Amino acid sequence: NRSICNRSYNDLSVFDAYEVARESVMPLFPEKIIIQLGETDLMDGEHTSDEVISEYRNVIKAIRKVDKHQKIVLVSLNNLTDREVQAEFNRSLEKLASETKSTYADISNIQQDDRTHIQAFRLLKFFMSDDIVLQLI
C-alpha cells in the first residue's frame, strides 16, 4: 500500500542533481527521498570526494528549503573500481548523513555480479517503509 516513484537517471552528476530534483521530484511532494549520487563524478576524475560531498550538502540544503521535514536517505556507493576512494567517500557520506539529520544506507558490501541490483533493492527495502513516495536520483 505504498506509492513508489523511481526517478533514476544514468550518469547523473551531483552537480546537476538539484535541478533534476526540482523539476521531477519535488512537484510530487514525497515523504522520503532516497539518493545515491557521486559515482559518476568520482569515476570521471573531474572532482574529488570532498567536492562531491560539499555539493551533496548543497543538494540536501536546497531540498530542505522546500520542505524542512523531508526524510532523506543517502545510499553508499558500491560500484567504484578504486575501493579505497569508495571507502573514503562512503565514510564522508555517512558523516554527512549524521550532520544533516538524514539516514545513511550502507550497500557497499554488495558483491558486483549480475544480481547486484536485486541485492541492493533487498537492502534498501528497509528504508522504503512507511507510506511514502520515493524517488531515486
Side-chain angles (χ1 to χ4, degrees):
N1 295 332
R2 295 179 196 93
S3 296
I4 298 177
C5 298
N6 184 342
R7 295 293 186 259
S8 296
Y9 294 87
N10 288 331
D11 301 322
L12 179 63
S13 169
V14 69
F15 297 91
D16 300 323
Y18 180 70
E19 189 61 30
V20 169
R22 187 182 66 74
E23 292 176 3
S24 67
V25 176
M26 301 314 290
L28 298 174
F29 301 102
E31 290 179 35
K32 189 181 293 183
I33 299 176
I34 297 178
I35 305 172
Q36 184 185 40
L37 295 167
E39 183 177 297
T40 297
D41 302 296
L42 295 173
M43 288 179 75
D44 71 15
E46 291 186 25
H47 299 282
T48 66
S49 288
D50 288 343
E51 291 170 331
V52 174
I53 291 294
S54 178
E55 187 60 21
Y56 235 115
R57 184 182 319 284
N58 292 336
V59 169
I60 293 167
K61 284 180 183 177
I63 290 171
R64 291 263 166 77
K65 279 186 180 177
V66 174
D67 180 355
K68 67 181 179 179
H69 301 292
Q70 183 69 63
K71 295 176 189 171
I72 298 174
V73 178
L74 306 181
V75 180
S76 67
L77 298 185
N78 70 325
N79 202 28
L80 293 181
T81 53
D82 187 332
R83 294 299 182 184
E84 192 173 309
V85 169
Q86 178 175 292
E88 172 195 340
F89 179 83
N90 287 339
R91 283 189 297 272
S92 297
L93 189 63
E94 185 174 19
K95 183 179 175 186
L96 177 65
S98 177
E99 291 170 0
T100 61
K101 295 183 174 77
S102 301
T103 302
Y104 177 70
D106 186 2
I107 64 166
S108 62
N109 292 327
I110 293 176
Q111 295 181 11
Q112 295 300 311
D113 60 25
D114 293 340
R115 299 178 46 90
T116 298
H117 292 46
I118 294 169
Q119 293 172 16
F121 181 78
R122 283 188 181 137
L123 286 173
L124 291 173
K125 277 194 321 186
F126 170 78
F127 298 97
M128 294 180 201
S129 61
D130 306 329
D131 292 329
I132 61 170
V133 175
L134 161 72
Q135 284 73 36
L136 291 173
I137 61 174

